[in-house]
């Protein structure tokens, strides 16, 4: 059909308007019916049924807009079916018209989240799904901790530590020898730390409350002997007083002299394997952690050496 020249501009305008209207009609309906979702802090999974199937995940960003990448530092993107995994979430597309978001428990002490950026495979239409996860307030508790003597475990001699004391005697009884008492183990602390093979349990427990566990004392005839008091679990070096703290030693002291005393405090090192189980009330999920306890403790000291110098000598 031939269109008169006088109608050609009008025809072009109508054609352009019709195409624009068709594009707008195509974009009126969101790909996802959900623009933002707020999920509880526990382990959670939510499926979003999409209104279309011709879309892709262009990127995933933090709530602040920073691009999230995988362990190879490749930005998260998904064409077609598949999944995207990050430290605490998995985004799955098992069907063309559905998206599943799986989240681990949030023990980050604050709300966290991310943004899924969607776009049509062909076209300019884009939209976002904002995912927010609340903080989990129900922490895991210690269910049990079991120790065993594994490979490389046991008791061995550890490096000794020097002990010393200088006493300046200014009494009037020149050269007289008297008896005095010392506590060489007073500052000889027990030192221990726990080490896990892989993931640390600290993110799952209340940081203010912590957890207290049975503490092995030593090994006797292959049997693990325990202390009567529980100790706080920690991966850092932790100290507490030895039962030898109040043990005394009586030695000579010469009046009107500088009395110099020295000795070596002997230590042993205990290493044991352990399995820790954490659980949460109202939740069947348990968390298991394997690792080593390393504990260094004093058990004896050498005879105290005593020498004398005149006062004023250094």
């Amino acid at each position: 059909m031939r269109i008169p020249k006088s109608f050609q501009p009008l025809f072009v305008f109508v054609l352009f308007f019709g195409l624009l209207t068709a594009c707008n009609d195509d974009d009126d309906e969101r790909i996802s019916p959900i623009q933002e979702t707020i999920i509880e802090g526990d382990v959670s999974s939510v499926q979003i049924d999409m209104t279309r199937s011709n879309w892709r995940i262009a990127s995933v960003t933090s709530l602040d807009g920073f691009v999230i990448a995988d362990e190879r530092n490749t930005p998260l993107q998904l064409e077609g079916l598949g999944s995207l995994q990050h430290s605490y979430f998995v985004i799955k597309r098992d069907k063309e018209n559905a998206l599943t978001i799986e989240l681990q428990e949030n023990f980050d002490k604050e709300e966290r989240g991310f943004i899924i950026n969607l776009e049509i495979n062909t076209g300019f239409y884009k939209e976002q799904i904002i995912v927010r996860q609340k903080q989990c307030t129900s922490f895991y508790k210690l269910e049990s901790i079991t120790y065993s003597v594994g490979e490389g475990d046991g008791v061995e001699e550890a490096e000794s530590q020097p002990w010393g004391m200088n006493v300046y005697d200014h009494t009037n009884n020149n050269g007289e020898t008297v008896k005095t008492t010392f506590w060489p183990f007073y500052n000889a602390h027990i030192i221990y730390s726990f080490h896990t093979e892989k993931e640390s349990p600290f993110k799952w427990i209340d940081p203010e409350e912590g957890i207290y566990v049975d503490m092995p004392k030593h090994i006797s005839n292959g049997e693990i002997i325990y202390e009567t008091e529980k100790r706080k679990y920690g991966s850092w070096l932790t100290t507490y007083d030895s039962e030898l703290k109040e043990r005394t030693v009586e030695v000579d002291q010469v009046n009107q002299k500088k009395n110099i005393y020295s000795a070596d405090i002997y230590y042993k090192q205990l290493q044991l394997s352990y399995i820790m189980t954490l659980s949460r009330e109202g939740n069947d999920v348990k968390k298991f952690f394997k690792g080593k306890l390393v504990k260094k403790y004093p058990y004896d000291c050498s005879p105290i050496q005593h020498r004398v110098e005149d006062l004023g000598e250094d």
Side-chain angles (χ1 to χ4, degrees):
M1 181 183 69
R2 184 178 179 83
I3 300 174
K5 290 184 179 181
S6 59
F7 290 99
Q8 285 180 358
L10 178 61
F11 176 78
V12 172
F13 173 77
V14 172
L15 178 62
F16 174 76
F17 181 78
L19 290 173
L20 183 62
T21 302
C23 291
N24 286 340
D25 289 342
D26 186 53
D27 294 346
D28 279 345
E29 187 177 24
R30 283 180 54 85
I31 303 171
S32 164
I34 299 175
Q35 184 172 356
E36 181 173 356
T37 180
I38 300 177
I39 303 173
E40 294 299 320
D42 295 324
V43 172
S44 305
S45 178
V46 58
Q47 178 175 304
I48 303 174
D49 294 322
M50 305 302 216
T51 61
R52 314 180 199 181
S53 60
N54 62 332
W55 53 272
R56 70 186 188 96
I57 299 178
S59 65
V60 181
T61 66
S62 67
L63 296 176
D64 296 329
F66 295 100
V67 174
I68 296 177
D70 61 18
E71 57 186 10
R72 295 170 297 182
N73 205 31
T74 303
L76 297 181
Q77 295 179 329
L78 185 60
E79 299 276 356
L81 302 181
S83 64
L84 299 173
Q85 187 165 353
H86 192 52
S87 59
Y88 69 90
F89 67 80
V90 177
I91 303 171
K92 294 182 179 180
R93 187 183 183 185
D94 296 329
K95 298 184 292 185
E96 293 285 349
N97 61 345
L99 197 64
T100 302
I101 301 171
E102 298 177 352
L103 297 173
Q104 297 179 10
E105 295 136 315
N106 179 14
F107 290 103
D108 288 352
K109 302 180 184 179
E110 61 183 2
E111 181 186 85
R112 65 186 180 187
F114 53 93
I115 300 172
I116 304 173
N117 296 292
L118 304 176
E119 63 181 32
I120 296 296
N121 291 336
T122 57
F124 299 100
Y125 180 74
K126 299 179 181 181
E127 70 179 42
Q128 295 179 332
I129 302 175
I130 302 174
V131 181
R132 301 181 186 273
Q133 185 182 27
K134 297 179 181 179
Q135 177 187 355
C136 187
T137 56
S138 177
F139 290 96
Y140 280 79
K141 305 287 186 180
L142 175 69
E143 180 175 299
S144 65
I145 184 168
T146 304
Y147 298 93
S148 62
V149 182
E151 183 178 357
D153 294 341
V155 180
E156 62 182 13
E157 287 290 327
E159 183 180 0
S160 62
Q161 297 295 323
W163 171 88
M165 183 73 67
N166 293 340
V167 177
Y168 297 83
D169 191 313
H170 293 278
T171 57
N172 295 326
N173 299 324
N174 188 24
E176 183 178 341
T177 299
V178 296
K179 292 294 183 179
T180 189
T181 301
F182 288 119
W183 289 260
F185 296 98
Y186 195 83
N187 291 314
H189 301 296
I190 295 173
I191 305 171
Y192 73 92
S193 61
F194 290 87
H195 308 276
T196 49
E197 292 180 357
K198 296 180 181 179
E199 187 180 23
S200 167
F202 294 108
K203 67 177 293 185
W204 311 105
I205 61 178
D206 188 338
E208 296 183 1
E209 182 177 322
I211 51 177
Y212 288 80
V213 299
D214 293 328
M215 175 58 68
K217 185 177 182 180
H218 57 80
I219 299 176
S220 177
N221 298 323
E223 181 183 358
I224 301 173
I225 308 301
Y226 292 89
E227 297 183 1
T228 56
E229 185 177 347
K230 293 182 181 293
R231 300 294 175 182
K232 190 170 185 178
Y233 180 91
S235 61
W236 53 92
L237 291 177
T238 305
T239 64
Y240 61 96
D241 290 336
S242 164
E243 62 182 13
L244 302 177
K245 179 178 180 177
E246 299 299 331
R247 180 187 289 186
T248 59
V249 178
E250 189 176 68
V251 294
D252 292 335
Q253 178 176 317
V254 181
N255 299 147
Q256 284 290 310
K257 295 291 182 179
K258 176 183 177 182
N259 295 263
I260 303 170
Y261 304 93
S262 62
D264 289 321
I265 307 297
Y266 298 138
Y267 283 82
K268 288 185 178 181
Q269 180 170 292
L270 169 67
Q271 178 174 295
L272 292 171
S273 301
Y274 71 88
I275 298 177
M276 175 186 288
T277 303
L278 300 181
S279 60
R280 208 154 51 114
E281 186 176 353
N283 192 324
D284 294 333
V285 177
K286 297 181 186 292
K287 298 193 178 293
F288 302 94
F289 303 90
K290 294 182 179 181
K292 297 283 188 181
L293 163 67
V294 178
K295 176 182 176 181
K296 183 179 176 183
Y297 59 93
Y299 70 93
D300 203 353
C301 73
S302 65
I304 294 180
Q305 302 298 313
H306 177 211
R307 62 188 180 90
V308 175
E309 294 180 358
D310 291 335
L311 291 175
E313 294 183 16
D314 290 317

